[in-house]
């Protein structure tokens, strides 16, 4: 019972000032982003803020690790745009509930650990792609609407925007060199905010995106018919969203593990993320997942505990209920500058340093994942393709490593000692090692330094023993595991397992 209720590590030393300031900074950067994504998907603006609050508070308390920030992430919202246009908001909420259930299932069955199979080049590509997306999304702040069309800013508005963004970037870059007592991002936002108010500078503000004033998230049961047809509509979207959310979330969790030198719980994160998305489906939120940009803002502000995430979520709720008139006056230039610095900090610049040292296959994987992330905004697909390419390269490289040491003993028996894994990729090379026509009547194939890894390998061995049998020759297979012995029991061969070296194996009697 103690582990169930042990939500917080009370032995951890918490710097309350740092955590609270980091939480405020996270909230300031999350509010305009959540509003922007909600408007992009044609959701009511408050649906974005409700999503940021619900995802933030639930995952901050119950999530897989401290320091991880969740909210209405663009990666998951983009998945739901088509459903919103075709069936409306209630179907979106239904898809969120389905996604949440699937994520909880992943957590219950402890499948989150499979994220460890993601190779480092895929991680590089994923992070670099996200950094580019974060940067490119900020360019929209340099656009305005003219006669119903989006055009680039020009003249005084452009120079004003550029100047304020440059000032924000300069503060975020220089202040940590002087002091880290206060998060540089928050200081930059406050200074630019004060300059705009004092000098009455005409520039874009949060209120120009949407109003952020509202009430507590209302309870709402999605108005969807409980039919097979409705499930067929929402399930594919829920499945994709669950996959995208888990992929981005668990990769971000791994990134935080690496930065902080601590270890989080991927399965606990799956459970928390799923619970939060279900809550979004019933409380008018747009759902989401861990957000790498806000997480890096949080970590760069010095946060290492859960408190910052809780403060950030409660700040968003307080803004909705009480502080909307003030927050709506924040200049978008300040928030844009902070997010640009986040993009620069997100990019794995070390990937360029090891460029010449990486195998060509790893470079290709990294570039492919980066490109898919940037152009398709489908993080799950990018990671999946990266893992598949890496797996195929690995299979090809290991297929070339299988070899055989051959010799004939004093009794005239030919020995083949196999080295390297025998699996689907190496079966052809394995078969080419044998001289069936010229081999003596007795042949021993020794798998002490090899392993039969899959069904293709078993079929290759079965086929080989059959070919020897047709030539009237007997083959002994040594050092096979018991499962392989059982699968090969119908082969026309004698299986001889050395019981002294493999005491857990049973000996299959031979025909002498």
């Amino acid at each position: 019972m103690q582990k169930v209720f042990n939500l917080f590590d009370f032995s951890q030393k918490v710097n309350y000032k740092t955590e609270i300031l980091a939480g405020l900074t996270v909230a300031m950067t999350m509010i305009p982003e959540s509003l922007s994504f909600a408007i992009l998907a044609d959701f009511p603006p408050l649906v974005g803020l409700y999503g940021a609050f619900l995802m933030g508070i639930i995952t901050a308390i119950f999530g897989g690790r401290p320091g991880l920030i969740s909210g209405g992430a663009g990666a998951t919202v983009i998945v739901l745009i088509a459903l919103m246009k075709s069936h409306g908001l209630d179907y979106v909420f239904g898809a969120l509930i389905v996604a949440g259930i699937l994520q909880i299932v992943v957590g219950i069955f402890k499948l989150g650990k499979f994220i460890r199979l993601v190779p480092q080049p895929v991680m590089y590509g994923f992070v670099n792609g996200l950094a580019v997306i974060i940067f490119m999304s900020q360019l929209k702040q340099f656009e305005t609407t003219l006669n119903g069309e989006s055009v680039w800013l020009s003249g005084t508005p452009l120079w004003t925007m550029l100047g304020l963004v440059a000032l924000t970037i300069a503060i975020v870059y220089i202040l940590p060199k002087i002091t880290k007592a206060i998060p540089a991002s928050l200081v930059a936002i406050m200074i630019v905010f004060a300059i705009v108010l004092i000098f009455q500078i005409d520039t874009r503000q949060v209120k120009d995106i949407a109003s952020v004033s509202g009430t507590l998230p209302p309870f709402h049961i999605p108005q969807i018919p409980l039919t097979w047809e409705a499930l067929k509509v929402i399930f594919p979207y829920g499945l994709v969203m669950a996959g995208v959310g888990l992929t981005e979330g668990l990769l971000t969790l791994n990134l935080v593990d690496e930065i902080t030198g601590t270890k989080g719980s991927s399965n606990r994160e799956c459970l928390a993320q799923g619970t939060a998305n279900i809550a979004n489906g019933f409380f008018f939120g747009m759902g989401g997942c861990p957000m790498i940009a806000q997480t890096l803002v949080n970590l760069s502000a010095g946060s290492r505990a859960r408190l910052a995430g809780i403060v950030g979520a409660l700040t968003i709720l307080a803004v909705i209920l009480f502080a909307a008139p003030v927050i709506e006056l924040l200049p978008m230039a300040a928030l844009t500058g902070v997010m640009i610095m986040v993009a620069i900090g997100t990019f794995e610049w070390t990937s360029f340093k090891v460029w010449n040292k990486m195998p060509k296959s790893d470079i290709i994987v990294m570039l492919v994942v980066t490109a898919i992330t940037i152009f398709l905004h489908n993080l799950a697909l990018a990671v999946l393709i990266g893992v598949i390419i890496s797996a195929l390269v690995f299979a090809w490289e290991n297929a070339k490593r299988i070899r055989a040491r051959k010799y004939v003993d004093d009794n005239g028996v030919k020995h083949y000692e196999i080295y390297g894994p025998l699996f689907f990729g190496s079966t052809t090379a394995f078969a080419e090692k044998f001289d069936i026509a010229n081999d003596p009547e007795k042949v021993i194939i020794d798998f002490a330094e090899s392993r039969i890894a899959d069904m293709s390998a078993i079929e290759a061995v079965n086929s080989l023993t059959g070919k020897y049998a047709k030539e009237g020759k007997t083959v002994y297979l040594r050092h096979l595991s018991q499962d392989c012995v059982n699968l090969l029991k119908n082969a026309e061969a004698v299986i001889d397992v050395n019981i002294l070296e493999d005491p857990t194996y049973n000996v299959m009697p031979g025909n002498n």
Side-chain angles (χ1 to χ4, degrees):
M1 292 297 291
Q2 184 178 2
K3 288 186 177 180
V4 174
F5 293 103
N6 186 21
L7 301 178
F8 302 95
D9 181 7
F10 291 104
S11 65
Q12 181 183 14
K13 185 177 180 180
V14 177
N15 186 322
Y16 290 95
K17 174 185 172 184
T18 298
E19 294 295 320
I20 292 172
L21 292 176
L24 293 174
T25 307
V26 165
M28 294 304 101
T29 60
M30 190 179 293
I31 288 171
E33 190 167 343
S34 298
L35 288 172
S36 299
F37 285 132
I39 293 170
L40 176 66
D42 289 330
F43 299 155
L46 275 176
V47 170
L49 293 184
Y50 287 150
F53 164 68
L54 291 169
M55 290 298 304
I57 193 69
I58 293 174
T59 56
I61 296 173
F62 300 101
R65 63 154 303 114
L68 195 64
I69 301 296
S70 295
T76 53
V77 173
I78 289 171
V79 171
L80 301 173
I81 292 177
L83 182 60
M84 176 65 186
K85 291 182 178 179
S86 61
H87 289 82
L89 196 57
D90 280 306
Y91 275 76
V92 168
F93 293 146
L96 287 175
I97 294 171
V98 169
I101 293 172
L102 293 174
Q103 289 171 334
I104 288 176
V105 169
V106 170
I108 290 174
F109 288 98
K110 302 184 183 301
L111 302 178
K113 59 187 177 183
F114 286 106
I115 199 67
R116 299 171 190 166
L117 297 177
V118 177
Q120 190 62 41
V122 176
M123 281 288 290
Y124 280 150
F126 168 81
V127 172
N128 290 347
L130 276 179
V132 174
I133 288 176
I134 293 170
F135 177 81
M136 295 297 291
S137 66
Q138 304 313 306
L139 298 181
K140 294 180 181 179
Q141 303 305 327
F142 293 89
E143 296 179 356
T144 187
T145 302
L146 184 63
N147 297 326
E149 295 183 0
S150 293
V151 296
W152 292 104
L153 291 173
S154 60
T156 301
L158 174 61
W159 289 109
T160 301
M161 187 73 176
L162 287 173
L164 294 174
V165 169
L167 175 61
T168 304
I169 292 174
I171 294 172
V172 174
Y173 178 75
I174 296 173
L175 186 62
K177 300 179 184 299
I178 302 173
T179 178
K180 295 183 179 179
I182 304 176
S185 299
L186 184 59
V187 173
I189 292 172
M190 293 299 100
I191 290 177
V192 174
F193 186 22
I195 290 174
V196 169
L197 286 181
I198 293 171
F199 295 99
Q200 294 294 301
I201 298 175
D202 183 16
T203 186
R204 197 177 187 193
Q205 298 171 312
V206 170
K207 66 181 179 182
D208 296 321
I209 298 179
S211 173
V212 297
S213 178
T215 62
L216 289 171
F219 178 74
H220 171 74
I221 298 177
Q223 301 301 303
I224 302 174
L226 299 177
T227 62
W228 177 248
E229 286 70 24
L231 181 61
K232 287 195 296 186
V233 172
I234 64 175
F235 185 81
Y237 290 96
L239 179 63
V240 173
M241 180 179 174
V244 170
L246 290 177
T247 301
E248 182 169 1
L250 296 180
L251 287 178
T252 304
L253 184 144
N254 280 359
L255 187 63
V256 178
D257 287 351
E258 184 177 327
I259 292 173
T260 60
T262 57
K263 187 164 182 61
S265 171
S266 56
N267 294 312
R268 182 169 166 177
E269 182 60 35
C270 294
L271 293 171
Q273 193 177 143
T275 302
N277 275 316
I278 292 174
N280 271 272
F282 286 111
F283 286 93
F284 253 86
M286 69 178 181
C289 67
M291 303 174 72
I292 191 168
Q294 276 69 26
T295 297
L296 290 173
V297 167
N298 188 43
L299 296 178
S300 65
S303 170
R304 292 297 183 270
R306 294 182 182 272
L307 182 59
I310 297 172
V311 169
L314 292 177
T315 300
I316 292 173
L317 180 62
V319 166
I320 296 172
L321 299 178
F322 312 112
V326 176
I327 298 302
E328 288 175 356
L329 297 178
L330 283 177
M332 289 303 301
L335 302 175
T336 300
V338 168
M339 295 307 293
I340 288 175
M341 289 302 291
V342 167
I344 294 172
T346 302
F347 198 91
E348 283 283 1
W349 300 102
T350 55
S351 59
F352 289 129
K353 295 181 181 179
V354 298
W355 185 274
N356 295 331
K357 301 177 183 178
M358 294 172 65
K360 291 181 180 179
S361 58
D362 285 352
I363 295 175
I364 292 173
V365 168
M366 183 175 68
L367 293 177
V368 168
V369 173
T370 301
I372 294 175
T373 303
I374 293 172
F375 294 107
L376 299 184
H377 287 211
N378 192 328
L379 306 181
L381 178 63
V383 172
L384 178 62
I385 290 178
V387 170
I388 290 175
I389 295 175
S390 296
L392 291 175
V393 171
F394 175 81
W396 175 257
E397 292 299 324
N398 277 273
K400 297 187 295 185
R401 292 181 181 177
I402 193 164
R403 60 194 189 281
R405 178 174 175 263
K406 312 169 190 178
Y407 65 91
V408 179
D409 64 18
D410 296 338
N411 297 319
V413 178
K414 181 140 183 205
H415 293 252
Y416 288 88
E417 293 180 353
I418 307 301
Y419 295 84
L422 180 57
F423 66 109
F424 69 90
S426 60
T427 53
T428 301
F430 169 76
E432 293 173 351
K433 305 294 182 186
F434 298 91
D435 188 0
I436 299 174
N438 298 317
D439 278 348
E441 292 184 0
K442 290 186 178 181
V443 174
I444 294 177
I445 306 176
D446 193 330
F447 287 92
E449 300 296 331
S450 181
R451 181 178 178 274
I452 295 179
D454 58 14
M455 197 63 207
S456 297
I458 292 173
E459 178 57 33
V461 173
N462 191 28
S463 174
L464 181 66
T465 56
K467 291 177 181 178
Y468 272 107
K470 288 181 181 179
E471 295 288 331
K473 300 174 181 180
T474 305
V475 176
Y476 297 85
L477 305 179
R478 277 187 177 159
H479 300 140
L480 288 173
S481 59
Q482 186 60 48
D483 57 344
C484 295
V485 172
N486 293 335
L487 289 169
L488 289 167
K489 64 182 179 180
N490 294 323
E492 296 178 22
V494 177
I495 301 178
D496 180 19
V497 180
N498 190 328
I499 196 169
L500 294 177
E501 296 181 12
D502 302 273
T504 60
Y505 297 158
N506 296 321
V507 177
M508 182 173 288
N511 297 324
N512 294 325

